[in-house]
C-alpha cells in the first residue's frame, strides 16, 4: 500500500469466520529498527510511552488488566477538522513465545 521513510505498509482483506463472515483489513507495517527486540517489545507494550512514537495519539491509559499478558487500553486521537477526537478501547495481548518470537496483537474491545 505504501512505502515511506523506510516503512513498508501492506494490507490484506480478511474474513472473520467466527463473527458471521464479517470482512475487515489486516494492516502490517515493517521496518528495520536499531534496537533489540526485547527493548522494542517493552516500549510498544507500555501505554505510558505511546506518545513517544505516535504523534496522532492525544491520550492513552490502561483501564483493566485481564491477564499477565492481556489488558484493555483506552486511547483518544487528536482533533482533525471537521471531526472531533475519537475514543478507542482495545484489548492488547503482548507475549513472548518459547522460541523467542515477540507478539503484540490488538483488537476492538466492547464491554459486555
Amino acid at each position: 500500500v505504501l512505502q515511506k521513510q523506510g516503512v513498508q505498509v501492506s494490507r490484506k482483506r480478511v474474513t472473520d469466520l467466527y463473527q458471521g463472515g464479517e470482512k475487515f483489513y489486516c494492516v502490517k507495517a515493517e521496518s528495520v529498527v536499531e534496537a533489540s527486540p526485547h527493548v522494542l517489545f517493552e516500549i510498544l507494550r507500555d501505554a505510558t510511552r505511546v506518545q513517544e512514537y505516535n504523534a496522532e495519539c492525544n491520550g492513552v491509559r490502561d483501564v483493566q488488566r485481564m491477564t499477565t499478558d492481556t489488558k484493555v487500553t483506552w486511547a483518544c486521537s487528536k482533533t482533525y477538522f471537521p471531526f472531533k477526537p475519537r475514543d478507542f478501547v482495545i484489548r492488547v495481548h503482548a507475549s513472548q513465545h518459547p522460541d523467542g518470537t515477540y507478539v503484540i496483537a490488538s483488537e476492538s474491545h466492547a464491554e459486555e
Side-chain angles (χ1 to χ4, degrees), residues 44-107:
L44 292 175
R45 75 179 191 160
D46 183 352
T48 67
R49 300 190 68 179
V50 170
Q51 292 177 325
E52 292 179 36
Y53 58 85
N54 186 351
E56 308 309 314
C57 185
N58 199 34
V60 63
R61 70 175 182 274
D62 293 337
V63 295
Q64 179 185 5
R65 175 68 58 182
M66 300 176 83
T67 68
T68 303
D69 296 330
T70 306
K71 62 184 178 177
V72 176
T73 300
W74 167 87
C76 181
S77 69
K78 290 185 175 179
T79 300
Y80 293 98
F81 182 79
F83 304 106
K84 294 180 181 179
R86 302 286 191 234
D87 290 296
F88 302 90
V89 179
I90 57 173
R91 182 175 27 234
V92 180
H93 178 81
S95 62
Q96 183 178 14
H97 290 228
D99 70 356
T101 301
Y102 292 97
V103 175
I104 301 175
S106 63
E107 66 179 346

